[in-house]
Amino acid sequence: MSKVSIDEIFVKLLSHYGLTSYEAKAYYALLVLGESTATNIAKLAGIPQQRVYDALASLERKGFIHTRHTNPKKFLPFNPKEALENRIKQLRLEFEVKERELKKLIPVIEEKVPEFREKKYIRSQVRILEGNESIVSKVIEMLSSAREVVKVSGIKPLYVLGCKGSLGKYIKAGVKIFAMGKFDKECTEEIKKFNGEIKNVDVSFRYQLIVDNKKLLMVYVDNDNMPYGFYTENPLLIEPYIFYFDKAWESGSENC
């Protein structure tokens, strides 16, 4: 049996579901074969014989294949849609278990924090973020933490990311959105879908995000057009920006 050409995009896509390269290739080979032995799967997928059994055992645990206990053993693939949907449920449960474990560790770790480190952390009032990637990560973190209100000023609610379906991934139902700036049609429709309010005005801030009136992110660029984020949870630093946003919202213009 000759080796088949494995679709590398297929392999890469399955990595999002927690499959290794060998596991994705073995599953691909089984989808081609329908049912087969480990030896044939290894040959077809180009997987070393000594690694294929581990890959198949893992695929069965993750709900992608089933084992028939014949002699020799044979393996059958589950329908991809069914397997992927079940894997999502599995990952959700794994995350919930892991989340509970990690939350239990917080007080344990806090007890181990050296005294001088703890004081240094408490006195920290601002954090400077550099580059689009770190800024987007902070934006997503902030939006995901919102409980009551999101106030955003700029061009896109997610800074440089598009809006199609994105807000629903991060903003919880019931959170009120106030957006002030020049938003494209896609972002406007997305905000309105969340019963958000929009004021289409020229804004002076490149990007400003306030969450629950407790967290602030400001984005600015240097002379080389490198973006930087200014993040703080200090109430004294946030209050002037809340006041500025609210007054601008009331007047319908940032030039208030």
Side-chain angles (χ1 to χ4, degrees):
M1 180 175 294
S2 61
K3 178 181 173 183
V4 298
S5 177
I6 302 291
D7 188 333
E8 292 301 328
I9 295 177
F10 179 91
V11 173
K12 186 175 181 179
L13 288 172
L14 287 190
S15 69
H16 293 290
Y17 292 82
L19 270 63
T20 67
S21 176
Y22 283 160
E23 289 166 8
K25 289 177 180 179
Y27 182 58
Y28 188 89
L30 264 176
L31 290 173
V32 173
L33 295 166
E35 177 184 36
S36 190
T37 62
T39 299
N40 287 339
I41 294 166
K43 288 178 180 177
L44 195 71
I47 301 172
Q49 185 71 32
Q50 65 272 24
R51 301 294 301 276
V52 73
Y53 288 100
D54 288 340
L56 291 169
S58 182
L59 278 173
E60 185 162 29
R61 286 195 302 272
K62 294 172 181 177
F64 282 83
I65 67 171
H66 172 67
T67 302
R68 287 185 59 194
H69 294 280
T70 54
N71 188 17
K73 286 183 181 179
K74 290 188 176 180
F75 303 89
L76 299 88
F78 284 115
N79 173 278
K81 186 175 187 295
E82 178 187 355
L84 294 172
E85 288 178 347
N86 286 335
R87 179 60 177 156
I88 290 171
K89 294 176 185 176
Q90 190 181 67
L91 288 169
R92 186 183 297 120
L93 290 173
E94 289 174 2
F95 174 79
E96 289 173 357
V97 171
K98 189 66 176 177
E99 183 182 28
R100 288 195 293 270
E101 292 175 354
L102 293 175
K103 283 183 176 178
K104 288 178 182 177
L105 288 176
I106 292 175
V108 178
I109 293 172
E110 284 182 325
E111 288 180 1
K112 301 295 183 182
V113 175
E115 183 68 18
F116 74 95
R117 288 284 226 179
E118 188 175 10
K119 288 181 178 179
K120 182 179 178 182
Y121 175 77
I122 290 171
R123 284 198 294 265
S124 177
Q125 296 182 331
V126 301
R127 190 181 309 170
I128 302 300
L129 310 169
E130 182 177 343
N132 285 333
E133 188 173 333
S134 60
I135 293 170
V136 168
S137 178
K138 177 56 68 176
V139 168
I140 290 173
E141 176 191 315
M142 290 175 69
L143 293 178
S144 299
S145 72
R147 293 291 181 270
E148 297 176 1
V149 63
V150 167
K151 299 175 181 177
V152 60
S153 171
I155 299 174
K156 291 181 181 292
L158 290 166
Y159 183 48
V160 295
L161 297 184
C163 295
K164 191 174 183 181
S166 296
L167 291 182
K169 293 179 183 177
Y170 308 116
I171 298 183
K172 298 176 181 65
V175 173
K176 185 66 178 178
I177 304 174
F178 295 95
M180 185 164 56
K182 295 290 186 180
F183 299 96
D184 59 27
K185 182 180 178 182
E186 192 175 79
C187 287
T188 299
E189 291 175 351
E190 188 87 356
I191 294 167
K192 288 181 177 178
K193 193 164 64 175
F194 279 81
N195 295 319
E197 297 184 31
I198 305 172
K199 292 209 172 174
N200 188 21
V201 297
D202 291 320
V203 293
S204 55
F205 293 131
R206 181 183 181 91
Y207 186 82
Q208 174 184 264
L209 178 64
I210 301 170
V211 169
D212 293 336
N213 289 335
K214 294 178 180 178
K215 301 177 181 180
L216 168 71
L217 174 67
M218 298 287 300
V219 176
Y220 60 95
V221 295
D222 63 12
N223 293 333
D224 296 321
N225 209 34
M226 168 63 76
Y228 289 88
F230 170 96
Y231 175 78
T232 184
E233 295 180 21
N234 186 305
L236 294 177
L237 295 175
I238 297 173
E239 283 176 8
Y241 291 96
I242 296 173
F243 176 80
Y244 183 86
F245 186 97
D246 291 348
K247 291 293 288 183
W249 184 269
E250 289 173 11
S251 66
S253 169
E254 267 204 341
N255 302 315
C256 59

